[in-house]
Amino acid sequence: MSFAHAEDRPENGTGTGTGTGSDPDRTWTLSGTLPPGSPDYVYLPVDVPSGVAEIGVSYTYGRPPVPPGTQGNALDIGLFDERGTALGGRGFRGWSGGARTSFFVRADAATPGYLPGPVRPGTWHIALAPYTVAPEGLRYEVTVTLRFGETARTPAPVHPPERVKGRGRAWYRGDCHLHSTHSDGRRTPAEVAAAARAAGLDFINSSEHNTISAHAAWDGLWGDDLLILTGEEITTRTGHVLAVGTDPGAFIDWRYRARDQRFGRYARQVRRAGGLVVPAHPHATCIGCAWKFGLAEADAVEVWNGPWTPDDEVALAEWDNALGASVRNAGDGPGRWLPAMGNSDAHREPDRVGHPQTVVLAESLSRRAVLAGIRAGRSYLAESAALSLSFGVTDGRGRHAGIGERLRAAADAPVTVRLEVSGAAADCTVRLVTDQGVLLTAPLPGSGAGVVEWRTTPAHGAYVRAEVRHAPTVPGLPGAFAALTNPVFLDAEDGVAATAGHAAGAGTEH
């Protein structure tokens, strides 16, 4: 990287600080060119003297035309304070990616995406992230303005409560992948909360790209009917991952690639902050979106992201293969498996908040209970709150297991699989899937509602899960999803009678 120039242009007599105004604003313009192959993150130092009340930054960069099939320029931006740029984010003060061209930070306020707080003296850094670089390079210009004055008081952040009234033990509907004006979304937090209520959701998760500024942006927006979790979408160059339900204010760094072998450290940091690690849209085709870190550190995986696409079909197939591996490698005990999640990834109109949504059986409408339900796979995915289902298996002795649970029975013991659907479109069909594949395809008996039953044995299916799909729009390809469940596992024991599953009725929605 080379700096073309760094010019100091004091704005004599036009200081806008909140104090005596004895010092004028100071403005610098830094410009340069980043060549192809530049580092993922380039840090421009800014020396901040004492007495600065606000730092303001704006930037532009060149977007020359490029030949078809060649990537043009894309440049993200963020800010680190005098505590430094080291991994872990101790000096992190905000990130806007490519969503905005200017921002400010001062003690009592900051642009969404950035954290308010004192502007202390020392060397700050503007972080430039050349996402893609055109063949002739990326020409940038960054303007920094320091405004002097007295430092205002930084207000104490107000974070959402960890528990709201809810309905006791029940099925709760949530969307854990949402964006607002605090990253690259166009809805304000208030508009996101209103859209969540309109979609019939019970909980949402704040998941802005590489920033936690929205954690304190929900004051007055939660209620007895809406639990708001705090988290982050950790947007690395080799995949995106949701930190779901982390402690308010817990920042997780994103500045690494899969080859750096650092992800495990930050996945553990998510869990120490009380959250879940959920790879997002693992087969999305946008640059840097496809998940390259593997699933060993995941707690769940997002197999359905927004309107159903071929990317989701691939994610579903990969997830189902992982289910097969979990039962193949189980040995003498239950194998580790990853539950599926569905989220909208809604950014702006016409993106539909809650399409899809994850419906979770939880003991209460609380952070702890909802995350426990997701982690255990006691959940199904639905395209809207209009669609409900119950799914479970029962053996000949009346023992029952619901979604995410296990039924232990003799290998040849008959097991009845039952799916009840309501609120689906009239064109929907049901598919029952085991580790062997799709073993039953049937229309719903009613117009978008009804019950489908099927019999199997633990020897014939190590797990069974249900899909509700719309009619195909392309001949030979499956239709888009209306709903799908996490599996019920059938554990075969040769030569023994059926034994206990888990709590009866767990697969029935109330």
Side-chain angles (χ1 to χ4, degrees), residues 19 29 41 78 147 156 160 163 170 176 191 201 230 272 289 306 335 348 359-360 389 405 409:
T29 298
Y41 304 98
R147 299 182 174 92
R163 182 186 186 113
C176 290
E191 290 168 335
L201 299 182
T230 55
R272 285 196 299 270
C289 292
R348 61 188 67 82
V359 191
V360 184
L389 57 80
E405 297 180 336

Side-chain angles (χ1 to χ4, degrees), residues 58-347:
S58 63
Y59 83 119
T60 61
Y61 62 92
R63 294 177 173 87
V66 295
T70 301
Q71 296 298 329
N73 286 332
L75 184 64
D76 292 351
I77 196 167
L79 183 67
F80 289 78
D81 65 21
E82 84 290 348
R83 292 171 293 180
T85 63
L87 281 173
R90 187 166 177 264
F92 176 78
R93 289 301 292 268
W95 186 256
S96 48
R100 60 184 81 247
T101 59
S102 63
F103 59 85
F104 75 90
V105 169
R106 64 174 186 259
D108 60 335
T111 300
Y114 294 80
L115 305 180
V119 181
R120 294 177 291 264
T123 301
W124 290 48
H125 289 87
I126 296 163
L128 298 181
Y131 215 75
T132 55
V133 178
E136 60 264 53
L138 191 158
R139 176 78 177 178
Y140 67 87
E141 184 174 282
V142 179
T143 299
V144 182
T145 298
L146 303 182
R147 299 182 174 92
F148 290 79
E150 295 179 0
T151 299
R153 182 180 64 86
T154 301
V158 178
H159 295 131
E162 294 201 2
R163 182 186 186 113
V164 299
K165 183 177 180 181
R167 304 182 300 278
R169 186 175 191 269
W171 291 89
Y172 292 104
R173 297 175 178 269
D175 190 343
C176 290
H177 191 169
L178 293 163
H179 296 280
S180 77
T181 51
H182 282 258
S183 59
D184 59 345
R186 293 294 178 266
R187 294 182 174 101
T188 65
E191 290 168 335
V192 171
R197 287 185 166 94
L201 299 182
D202 302 295
F203 66 92
I204 58 175
N205 178 67
S206 175
S207 55
E208 309 295 355
H209 293 285
N210 303 337
T211 184
I212 55 171
S213 67
H215 288 192
W218 303 96
D219 192 8
L221 300 179
W222 60 80
D224 288 346
D225 62 332
L226 185 65
L227 174 72
I228 299 176
L229 305 175
T230 55
E232 183 183 340
E233 183 173 3
I234 304 159
T235 308
T236 81
R237 292 297 180 88
T238 51
H240 300 185
V241 60
L242 302 174
V244 177
T246 46
D247 295 334
F251 169 75
I252 311 298
D253 215 317
W254 75 97
R255 293 171 293 161
Y256 41 86
R257 293 184 180 226
R259 67 187 180 212
D260 299 327
Q261 299 186 15
R262 290 191 174 108
F263 177 67
R265 165 186 170 185
Y266 292 103
R268 291 188 291 273
Q269 186 177 336
V270 170
R271 294 191 189 94
R272 285 196 299 270
L276 301 181
V277 177
V278 184
H281 45 65
H283 290 278
T285 56
C286 48
I287 295 173
C289 292
W291 185 246
K292 304 294 187 182
F293 294 89
L295 298 176
E297 295 286 351
D299 297 305
V301 61
E302 187 182 74
V303 304
W304 185 356
N305 176 277
W308 189 260
T309 65
D311 304 338
D312 298 311
E313 201 72 58
V314 176
L316 176 72
E318 180 182 58
W319 171 69
D320 190 70
N321 288 340
L323 288 180
S326 75
V327 297
R328 185 173 65 247
N329 300 328
D332 294 330
R336 179 182 183 272
W337 66 282
L338 287 182
M341 288 191 71
N343 301 300
S344 73
D345 199 2
H347 284 69

